[in-house]
Amino acid sequence: VGREEVVGLVQVIFDAPQEDQYCNDIGKSEEDENVVLKGAVGFLTTIVSAKTVEGQSHRSSVCFALNNQRSIRTDVGRKSHFDALSRVMHDVLTGCSREEVDVASAKTIMMLAETFYFLEKTKETQDIFEQEKEDTDITISRSRSSVIDRTKRIYVRSKLIGHPIWSDESFWDQALFQCISESLAQTGILANFSKPTSTAHGGSGNRPVVKWHDLQPHQRLEAVGQLHVIVFSQLGALAHSMVEFGCGYERSAAFVRRLSIRHQLPIPQRSALLEHLSTRKKAIYEAVAEKERLILEASSSPVQDDSVLTEDIYDGSLTEENNNDKSLIGGGNND
């Protein structure tokens, strides 16, 4: 199977119509799903979960296709297509080894999981959508849409929380190494200290390769400072992702401490990273408490609003991962 064929199969997932995305199709049975969609997803999940060289290539192709879709369409449209996308991305993670190519694919899936979403169908969103059809004021129409987006988005992330790959320390170590290496290649820290050679005609030639031992003491200090900035930013981003994907505060904090020591981060930078995680932990506790309060209020009211019972603790979207709160605020994954 070539990349073009894989891209075509991925496109099937995004072929859900947008014009009726707010119509109520809740309760749609699996038998009613599009046969083409089911066939494409079944084939994709088979090839991306294979732990072979061909499987690596297919996983990279799927990530390539999804990354292209990010600039075209992030709202998947229908619930059945959203579930199909979640299943494919889940199986990409399942097939990933700890080799460089697969680590890169898993990082891409992690990023895209917070990009693609599905808008929950409720009476409120249906009313707003119908109003937009009659509204000629573009500004007001966009404002209403933004309200829907902020409160009713379900991201693929909610379907990937608790995946076994997140509990593997080796994956996070490899991911950080890869992120740092990529940043170093882009910034070229040592190259900043090289001076172009002079040519016979008085012009400037190529810059010679500078080695660490060629630097002056003050240059080494400057290079170390730049390196620490890169490690700090990449380590902080991955630690935040660990919390977002259900690793819990304790595991994320342990990752920060261990890798901070390994890369000799200064104490102030280590403290800043841990403080960020602590703040995130507190926010999660408060969100869970608020969620429980809303559940109690809803259960005591005459008419129970199901959308309140499944409100996601992060961004107000709905999620079926109702057991994730414990893993997020606890000491780690319970897999």
Side-chain angles (χ1 to χ4, degrees), residues 251-275:
R251 179 177 294 168
S252 304
F255 174 72
V256 167
R257 294 188 187 98
R258 181 166 57 84
L259 274 299
S260 292
I261 293 174
R262 178 181 298 179
H263 293 281
Q264 300 180 355
L265 279 186
I267 297 298
Q269 290 183 327
R270 302 182 198 181
S271 300
L273 291 174
L274 294 173
E275 179 63 25

Side-chain angles (χ1 to χ4, degrees), residues 276-289:
H276 171 75
L277 291 179
S278 179
T279 301
R280 190 73 188 100
K281 176 185 176 183
K282 181 180 178 181
I284 292 175
Y285 269 118
E286 292 175 349
V288 170

Side-chain angles (χ1 to χ4, degrees), residues 76-92:
V76 183
R78 291 182 178 273
K79 180 66 162 58
S80 57
H81 290 247
F82 173 78
D83 290 339
L85 176 62
S86 301
R87 180 183 169 191
V88 170
M89 293 174 70
H90 182 281
D91 285 358
V92 169

Side-chain angles (χ1 to χ4, degrees), residues 7 10-11 13-14 59-73 85 88-89 92 108-109 111-112 115-116:
V7 171
V10 171
Q11 181 61 45
I13 299 176
F14 292 88
R59 288 188 285 275
S60 296
S61 296
V62 168
C63 291
F64 171 82
L66 292 176
N67 201 36
N68 286 342
Q69 281 292 335
R70 184 175 54 151
S71 60
I72 302 173
R73 180 178 181 181
L85 176 62
V88 170
M89 293 174 70
V92 169
T108 301
I109 292 296
M111 178 267 295
L112 295 175
T115 301
F116 297 116

Side-chain angles (χ1 to χ4, degrees), residues 20 72 81 146 210 308:
D20 63 341
I72 302 173
H81 290 247
S146 65
V210 177
V308 175

